[in-house]
Amino acid sequence: LRLLVQEDPSLRHALMQEMSLYLTVLRCALQSSYDDRTCTEAASLLTLLLFDEVASIQTWSKENEPPPTEHFSLPLNVVTRYQLPFRPPTHHHTSAHQPDCDADTGQLQDGPPAEMLRVAWNMAWEGGMDQLATNPGEVETANSSSSTPPSLALTPLDKQLLKATHIKTALQSNIQEIEGAPSHYVAKLALMRLA
């Protein structure tokens, strides 16, 4: 029965809607659960019937794909996702609806993603934002001794932004500037930054 169902799409489509056939095949498989060959044939038959609707989807063709056939075949993602009892032929190795993805790595070379990656890597390297913000000048020397790519080293702008945006470090540096200010103007600038 499995071979007939596998080769004849009209029979497969007609038997797919018979609930009594599902129950009969399942009952036979349970009664002969010690016979591996019978269980495999029953599982294959149920797979053919259950995936008939998926197999009957019109396959698309590209320049490098052969024309569609009437034989039973499943999309590749169905075969890889489920543990089927047999290896059916596959189609739709790549979806026609899949967007074309360029292998452009330029997005990580510059712009906001590169800045986020650089700060995140340095933050992980230093063990947290507190250590990174308190000693941003030492990060470069620590990174240069290892095999760190130069694209991950903090720029002077990154160091300045870390000092200004990390609250604890910014408060400490502004208070130190106020305490050691040589003139009223320097103290005034530090107070303006605190506000």
Side-chain angles (χ1 to χ4, degrees), residues 102-115 117:
D102 296 333
D104 182 25
T105 59
Q107 295 176 351
L108 292 178
Q109 300 300 327
D110 56 352
E115 294 170 7
L117 178 66

Side-chain angles (χ1 to χ4, degrees), residues 100-126:
D100 293 332
C101 296
D102 296 333
D104 182 25
T105 59
Q107 295 176 351
L108 292 178
Q109 300 300 327
D110 56 352
E115 294 170 7
M116 289 188 286
L117 178 66
R118 189 170 46 244
V119 170
W121 189 90
N122 282 293
M123 188 169 63
W125 182 263
E126 288 296 315

Side-chain angles (χ1 to χ4, degrees), residues 95-188:
S95 173
H97 304 292
Q98 181 180 359
D100 293 332
C101 296
D102 296 333
D104 182 25
T105 59
Q107 295 176 351
L108 292 178
Q109 300 300 327
D110 56 352
E115 294 170 7
M116 289 188 286
L117 178 66
R118 189 170 46 244
V119 170
W121 189 90
N122 282 293
M123 188 169 63
W125 182 263
E126 288 296 315
M129 184 58 96
D130 291 334
Q131 288 81 9
L132 181 64
T134 54
N135 302 321
E138 297 174 9
V139 173
E140 187 176 337
T141 59
N143 290 346
S144 61
S145 64
S146 65
S147 61
T148 303
S151 62
L152 292 177
L154 287 176
T155 63
L157 178 63
D158 291 336
K159 295 173 189 175
Q160 196 173 21
L161 284 173
L162 279 174
K163 278 187 172 182
T165 57
H166 190 254
I167 294 174
K168 183 179 175 183
T169 307
L171 285 174
Q172 286 176 349
S173 66
N174 284 330
I175 290 172
Q176 287 173 357
E177 282 187 29
I178 291 171
E179 288 176 351
S183 67
H184 290 287
Y185 182 72
V186 175
K188 178 181 166 185

Side-chain angles (χ1 to χ4, degrees), residues 18-146:
E18 294 292 327
M19 185 57 77
S20 61
L21 178 68
Y22 287 104
L23 295 175
T24 304
V25 171
L26 190 59
R27 187 178 302 127
C28 290
L30 289 174
Q31 286 177 352
S32 60
S33 61
Y34 296 111
D35 185 19
D36 290 338
R37 184 165 184 227
T38 305
C39 289
T40 303
E41 289 292 321
S44 300
L45 179 61
L46 287 173
T47 301
L48 290 168
L49 294 175
L50 288 173
F51 285 108
D52 177 61
E53 190 173 338
V54 176
S56 64
I57 293 175
Q58 184 72 330
T59 60
W60 54 77
S61 61
K62 291 190 175 184
E63 295 81 12
N64 57 358
E65 290 185 10
T69 62
E70 291 295 322
H71 297 291
F72 182 84
S73 68
L74 290 175
L76 182 64
N77 62 353
V78 171
V79 174
T80 55
R81 183 174 294 165
Y82 301 108
Q83 292 180 346
L84 301 177
F86 65 102
R87 301 296 294 173
T90 59
H91 61 274
H92 295 179
H93 297 281
T94 57
S95 173
H97 304 292
Q98 181 180 359
D100 293 332
C101 296
D102 296 333
D104 182 25
T105 59
Q107 295 176 351
L108 292 178
Q109 300 300 327
D110 56 352
E115 294 170 7
M116 289 188 286
L117 178 66
R118 189 170 46 244
V119 170
W121 189 90
N122 282 293
M123 188 169 63
W125 182 263
E126 288 296 315
M129 184 58 96
D130 291 334
Q131 288 81 9
L132 181 64
T134 54
N135 302 321
E138 297 174 9
V139 173
E140 187 176 337
T141 59
N143 290 346
S144 61
S145 64
S146 65

